[in-house]
Amino acid sequence: MNPYVPTPDVLPIPATAPLFEALLHLTFLVHLLFMNALLGGGAILLGSLFARGGDRELHEAVIERISKLLPTLFAGTVTFGVAPLLFMQTLYGGFFYTSSILMGWPWFATVPLLIVGYSAIYLNSFRGRRLGGGRRWAAAVAIGCVALVGFAFSNNTTLMLTPEKWSRLYFASPGGLHLNLGEALLWPRFLHMALGAVAVAGIMLALLARRERTDARLREALTRRGLDVFLAATVVNIMIGFWYLLALREDVSRLFMGGSGHATGLLGLGTALSLVLLLLAWRVRVVPARSLKPLAWSTLLTLAVMILMRDAVRKGYLAGLANLHEIPVRTQTLNLVIFAVLLVAGITTVVWMVRRLLAAPSR
Amino acid sequence: MNYPVWELPMGGGVLMALVSVLHVFVAHLAIGGGLWLVVAERSARRRGDAALLALVKSQSRTFLLLTLVFGAITGVGIWTTAALISPQALLALIRAYVWGWAMEWVFFIVEIAAALVYWYGWERLDARTHQAVGWIYFIAAYMSLVIINGIVTFMLTPGGWLENKEFWTGFFNPTYWPSLALRSAAAAAQAGLFVLVTAAFLKRGDARAEEARVWATRRGAAWVAAGVAAFAAALFWYRGALSGAIPDWADLAAGAIPVLPRVVALMWAGAAATFLLALWPLAAPRRWHPAGAVLLTASALVLFFGGEWVREAARKPFTIHGYLYTTGLRVDQEPEVAAAGVTAFTRWRDPAAATPAERGRDLYRAWCLPCHTRDGYNAMRPFLGHRTEAEIVDFLPRLQHMRARMPAWHGNAAETADLAAYLATDADRGAAVFPADRDAAARLAWDAHCGTCHTLDDYRPLRPSLAGNTREDFEAMLDMLPDLAAEMPAYGGDPVERGHLLDFLTGAAGADPDRSAE
């Protein structure tokens, strides 16, 4: 037993652990969708902003459409990031806090980075063209900040899995200046996430193109651009996925190689899905008028599988250290019901507001 | 004890305070400002005042940026910082209140979505729907407060929760309602502040725009004045509830905790300045000026800073009052620690620590660093410079008797020796220099010794016992302190220091009013 793993908290959790896990995965899925659109969309935006050649008109269309959306995507990313963080801390708080403290400054830096990134995104969106050449840099700062925050998260979520490294880091320097750069898992994990975001954003761009009812040429061009991005990113990402797999600690990678039916099944499903995705994307790429729905839904499914795989990795690393079923439970039924009712009412309200907004003609 | 302690030169508490004050400042503004926007929009539409409507619209853009970018992200920042500074407390708060946080999160989503729809909807939604969205924003924002207020007050006055650990018992705790009143008043004042600041910096337009600006300025000023007045009134209610929940509150406010009286004064000063400054735009809205807006913001910040600091200071030595110490130790674990010693409860011990001072360093990090720094906030060095190792050994078991409300030190003899060895290393002691000015030197000698536990006139007052005694009496007294009260350590100052302290005591005995500070 590693002596630096904190003693589990004595306070019970107010519902069974699987319920919190379900909430964690569900809210994380929504967070991922927003985050992918934000980070990946931002990357596509930068591509168009910094492109020298190519179809100028298409670049402009990409820039305008994405810039307008980014502030809302940022808000969505943050609001839906809070919930999985909450549920993750409910279950794994001790591990997460320790690694956060070792990373004190870089971890704290996510807060100013978010503020700067968010401000730059609004600058790009509200001032836009009026910034002239400065616009590229506003966008670059914004997306750079978002990527750095993502990188900090990758560092922290890997460091929390390896308690055996903690004490060496802390006693070498207790001032919280560490990252987790020595971790084999770090780069494949971060790159897998980041490229996945770019791929998903490609699909979102293609979906966005469907709203161009008047200009068929633009619609096709945007669709193609989105799918090109998706295809390129996904091909590379499949390879990074294998790198990730190889970088896993041996006992954990064995789980994915037949050691655990659950983990192996997920891996098989994930691999199969990514091939299906390539195929589906290619079909629409060739004939842009084809429906995007099968591709979009399969992507969502793939994201869900990835989340479960990520969870299997975490459970593998923390096997024997974090046993969720051992956390004492004292169910608060009333509060659970209140939360569920509020959630339904809240989502209904949001949907109502957004629909009214989208239904209204732009005056 | 369970987690490593982040070594920050200025102290973790300072970072936490910085983030919290900024967040709380904007968060109250985000609540009150929402109300202002809908109320002002309705007024403008009823009167068909296009200039006023334009003004409200321009305010709503600033509002959007301020609340979303700054409000929401600093809110995330509080979580991030709390995880770094008081992980044990955060985990307990999450375990006990995860459903509360989850409910609050729903309101957070609605709030953010409504803020965006409200802004993007100015051109696209009909007037009725737009105002409905404004109300949705305000209600969701206020509901966030209704929930967070329960959890925040719980930390200071958990009341019956300590026995039954029931969610709603801790939620509707003894200070819930007065605190909600306080925060509601603060939100109204912040809304007024928002109006005044935006109005002051607005570009001057035609006559109608100017009329709209004056209209808004006057109302903003009224909101600030009324908000601060209501805040002050609610403060008395709050104080009553607090004294009920924390029986020795009167002692604390009287100076048991050295900084508290100053912080309370700071808060009142901020409130008074904010109120007075609001009278200017109330009386002469046309002459309201950006300089005034800057001053007003500064004084409101002082008010918030003071208020949050009072809450923090009153909570010492706990993060959850009566349940969890700042060090991460639960109150119910104390008997165990007292029996087994602190080492078993110090998870983060350096395997390479060999000497007493090195072992002491680990103890220091776990049990002192959560509240102290070397040279920054609550610095140890100035104090330690005036102590020998033997004296340190002597005072460690008496920490809980000091004015500062520290948790008791439960180290056994060996552990106490280790910690003292570390505290006495030159690197961490600093130098024991006395200023040339005799009065200042006398004051320092007092502060470093008797002043840590006594005041002259307020808390555990000494002046009455000193009065009428001579320097010789004091000489004798210093040699027999432990006989006067078991809580008192023996006095071991060197002759120089002793001289300064005797100066101070003789001065105080003569009731010299110059010396009666604190």
Side-chain angles (χ1 to χ4, degrees):
Chain A
M1 186 75 188
N2 184 316
Y4 299 100
V5 172
T7 331
D9 203 87
V10 289
L11 289 177
I13 50 177
T16 63
L19 179 65
F20 286 115
E21 290 192 87
L23 285 170
L24 166 62
H25 298 329
L26 215 67
T27 51
F28 188 55
L29 180 62
V30 183
H31 168 66
L32 266 192
L33 286 173
F34 275 111
M35 182 280 266
N36 286 354
L38 171 68
L39 180 62
I44 297 176
L45 168 71
L46 287 182
S48 282
L49 277 171
F50 282 89
R52 293 186 179 277
D55 181 346
R56 210 50 255 167
E57 196 190 335
L58 178 61
H59 285 319
E60 285 306 321
V62 168
I63 292 169
E64 282 318 309
R65 303 232 170 1
I66 294 186
S67 293
K68 231 198 288 175
L69 279 179
L70 286 184
T72 306
L73 295 175
F74 203 113
T77 306
V78 171
T79 32
F80 279 92
V82 175
L85 264 181
L86 171 67
F87 297 127
M88 188 267 273
Q89 290 176 39
T90 311
L91 300 171
Y92 298 103
F95 297 88
F96 180 65
Y97 296 155
T98 308
S99 55
S100 299
I101 292 166
L102 300 180
M103 291 177 51
W105 280 117
W107 186 241
F108 180 78
T110 55
V111 178
L113 279 172
L114 284 173
I115 292 180
V116 173
Y118 207 169
S119 313
I121 273 184
Y122 267 110
L123 194 67
N124 170 59
S125 162
F126 280 6
R127 282 279 149 81
R129 237 186 276 276
R130 272 174 289 163
L131 291 173
R135 179 172 203 180
R136 296 169 174 193
W137 300 110
V141 166
I143 305 308
C145 286
V146 172
L148 280 177
V149 171
F151 188 61
F153 266 90
S154 287
N155 274 277
N156 202 346
T157 47
T158 49
L159 187 56
M160 72 179 266
L161 301 182
T162 47
E164 67 274 10
K165 289 204 237 166
W166 291 347
S167 64
R168 194 177 43 75
L169 293 175
Y170 181 71
F171 292 114
S173 120
L177 288 170
H178 299 288
L179 282 169
N180 197 21
L181 298 180
E183 169 62 54
L185 219 52
L186 177 68
W187 285 106
R189 186 162 170 151
F190 175 66
L191 290 176
H192 201 54
M193 270 276 177
L195 266 180
V198 174
V200 172
I203 294 190
M204 290 177 172
L205 184 63
L207 285 171
L208 208 59
R210 299 282 132 135
R211 288 178 64 105
E212 304 296 332
R213 304 242 158 70
T214 47
D215 185 344
R217 197 202 73 86
L218 183 63
R219 186 170 63 228
E220 275 194 15
L222 280 174
T223 308
R224 286 227 171 83
R225 165 60 50 88
L227 293 175
D228 284 346
V229 168
F230 174 81
L231 286 164
T234 304
V235 167
V236 181
N237 218 11
I238 291 177
M239 292 187 274
I240 294 183
F242 282 108
W243 177 14
Y244 187 177
L245 208 58
L246 290 176
L248 288 172
R249 202 171 65 197
E250 206 193 309
D251 57 318
V252 181
S253 86
R254 233 180 291 129
L255 296 178
F256 286 90
M257 304 292 184
S260 141
H262 171 69
T264 313
L266 284 174
L267 177 62
L269 190 57
T271 318
L273 272 170
S274 32
L275 298 178
V276 171
L277 288 181
L278 287 178
L279 199 77
L280 288 174
W282 182 252
R283 276 169 48 87
V284 189
R285 172 72 179 75
V286 178
V287 184
R290 281 193 177 128
S291 168
L292 273 167
K293 277 195 183 138
L295 178 59
W297 286 110
S298 321
T299 307
L300 191 67
L301 187 63
T302 314
L303 281 180
V305 171
M306 294 296 153
I307 288 177
L308 293 178
M309 259 167 51
R310 191 174 167 279
D311 187 53
V313 169
R314 174 165 55 207
K315 289 216 171 86
Y317 270 81
L318 295 181
L321 298 175
N323 299 317
L324 299 189
H325 55 89
E326 283 173 10
I327 305 177
V329 177
R330 197 172 135 200
T331 310
Q332 298 171 355
T333 316
L334 173 66
N335 293 334
L336 204 155
V337 172
I338 297 179
F339 168 65
V341 171
L342 282 178
L343 188 63
V344 173
I347 291 177
T348 314
T349 312
V350 172
V351 170
W352 177 78
M353 290 189 297
V354 172
R355 285 182 116 178
R356 290 300 294 259
L357 186 73
L358 294 183
S362 202
R363 272 184 271 156
Chain B
M1 42 161 281
N2 223 343
Y3 295 93
V5 177
W6 184 16
E7 271 193 15
L8 274 177
M10 78 279 210
V14 175
L15 192 67
M16 190 74 230
L18 205 77
V19 178
S20 322
V21 170
L22 285 179
H23 175 69
V24 170
F25 190 77
V26 180
H28 284 85
L29 191 155
I31 297 165
L35 183 61
W36 162 261
L37 289 179
V38 273
V39 170
E41 181 186 350
R42 192 172 63 174
S43 244
R45 290 196 192 274
R46 283 223 173 128
R47 302 170 351 154
D49 187 339
L52 183 57
L53 202 61
L55 179 127
V56 177
K57 184 180 168 189
S58 100
Q59 283 182 326
S60 78
R61 175 166 161 153
T62 314
F63 186 75
L64 181 80
L65 294 179
L66 199 63
T67 54
L68 257 59
V69 176
F70 215 78
I73 307 295
T74 49
V76 176
I78 291 202
W79 280 79
T80 310
T81 318
L84 294 170
I85 308 295
S86 14
Q88 193 80 48
L90 183 58
L91 190 56
L93 272 190
I94 287 181
R95 285 281 173 94
Y97 282 101
V98 58
W99 287 133
W101 296 115
M103 293 173 204
E104 198 272 335
W105 170 68
V106 175
F107 289 114
F108 180 50
I109 302 179
V110 175
E111 179 185 336
I112 299 286
L116 286 163
V117 173
Y118 188 78
W119 163 251
Y120 288 113
W122 273 110
E123 309 295 331
R124 299 169 65 168
L125 295 176
D126 59 274
R128 242 180 87 105
T129 314
H130 190 249
Q131 291 176 72
V133 170
W135 280 109
I136 291 174
Y137 172 85
F138 170 66
I139 293 169
Y142 192 75
M143 284 308 292
S144 291
L145 173 67
V146 164
I147 295 179
I148 300 270
N149 182 57
I151 304 178
V152 170
T153 50
F154 158 80
M155 290 196 280
L156 182 55
T157 53
W161 182 90
L162 293 176
E163 275 84 56
N164 67 13
K165 304 277 190 295
E166 288 290 344
F167 183 102
W168 292 104
T169 312
F171 190 90
F172 289 114
N173 61 72
T175 54
Y176 180 85
W177 293 109
S179 166
L180 189 65
L182 268 181
R183 290 182 184 278
S184 304
Q190 286 298 86
L193 177 92
F194 168 71
V195 176
L196 288 177
V197 173
T198 45
F201 285 97
L202 211 63
K203 269 196 222 103
R204 297 296 149 104
D206 57 18
R208 286 176 154 203
E210 192 55 21
E211 274 321 301
R213 202 175 69 90
V214 168
W215 185 91
T217 306
R218 184 168 282 143
R219 271 159 193 76
W223 283 41
V224 173
V228 174
F231 182 88
L235 211 49
F236 287 98
W237 181 16
Y238 182 78
R239 199 172 62 181
L242 200 58
S243 332
I246 303 180
D248 54 357
W249 171 249
D251 266 357
L252 301 189
I257 297 181
V259 290
L260 200 56
R262 269 171 277 163
V263 180
V264 172
L266 191 73
M267 180 181 68
W268 280 112
T274 310
F275 184 82
L276 291 175
L277 272 165
L279 298 181
W280 165 8
L282 196 63
R286 273 170 216 287
R287 261 180 278 146
W288 179 236
H289 190 267
V294 172
L295 283 177
L296 188 72
T297 309
S299 50
L301 261 174
V302 170
L303 168 59
F304 273 85
F305 187 66
E308 290 297 307
W309 198 353
V310 170
R311 205 171 58 76
E312 272 311 305
R315 216 162 39 151
K316 288 253 159 60
F318 303 105
T319 34
I320 298 173
H321 205 277
Y323 175 72
L324 188 72
Y325 286 110
T326 311
T327 49
L329 187 74
R330 287 195 317 277
V331 172
D332 65 11
Q333 288 174 303
E334 259 195 309
E336 266 179 89
V337 184
V342 292
T343 307
F345 288 79
T346 310
R347 182 169 299 284
W348 286 80
R349 275 173 287 137
D350 189 347
T355 65
E358 282 167 353
R359 288 193 301 270
R361 186 189 181 101
D362 290 333
L363 299 177
Y364 167 76
R365 279 194 188 126
W367 302 100
C368 313
L369 207 55
C371 302
H372 285 284
T373 64
R374 231 167 69 117
D375 303 294
Y377 179 67
N378 237 350
M380 294 277 266
R381 266 165 71 111
F383 175 86
L384 293 171
H386 296 277
R387 302 271 165 165
T388 61
E389 190 168 332
E391 277 184 291
I392 297 174
V393 169
D394 203 28
F395 84 62
L396 281 176
R398 300 169 211 272
L399 283 186
Q400 72 273 30
H401 301 304
M402 290 187 170
R403 291 164 61 196
R405 302 282 139 152
M406 277 183 269
W409 163 253
H410 292 297
N412 57 32
E415 292 160 341
T416 304
D418 285 351
L419 179 56
Y422 172 70
L423 292 175
T425 50
D426 285 340
D428 276 276
R429 277 189 74 193
V433 275
F434 281 94
D437 174 34
R438 286 196 60 159
D439 279 355
R443 168 104 243 165
L444 182 61
W446 159 265
D447 282 346
H449 283 273
C450 322
T452 54
C453 298
H454 292 281
T455 63
L456 280 181
D457 303 298
D458 301 315
Y459 176 71
R460 219 180 260 156
L462 270 194
R463 204 191 296 278
S465 345
L466 302 180
N469 287 305
T470 64
R471 199 175 175 97
E472 286 67 46
D473 297 332
F474 294 136
E475 281 275 13
M477 185 209 267
L478 285 185
D479 290 330
M480 52 174 288
L481 289 179
D483 301 334
L484 290 175
E487 297 95 325
M488 257 193 297
Y491 182 75
D494 62 29
V496 179
E497 215 183 298
R498 202 180 169 94
H500 290 309
L501 183 57
L502 289 172
D503 284 352
F504 185 88
L505 295 176
T506 355
D512 181 344
D514 281 338
R515 297 257 168 86
S516 63
E518 271 184 61

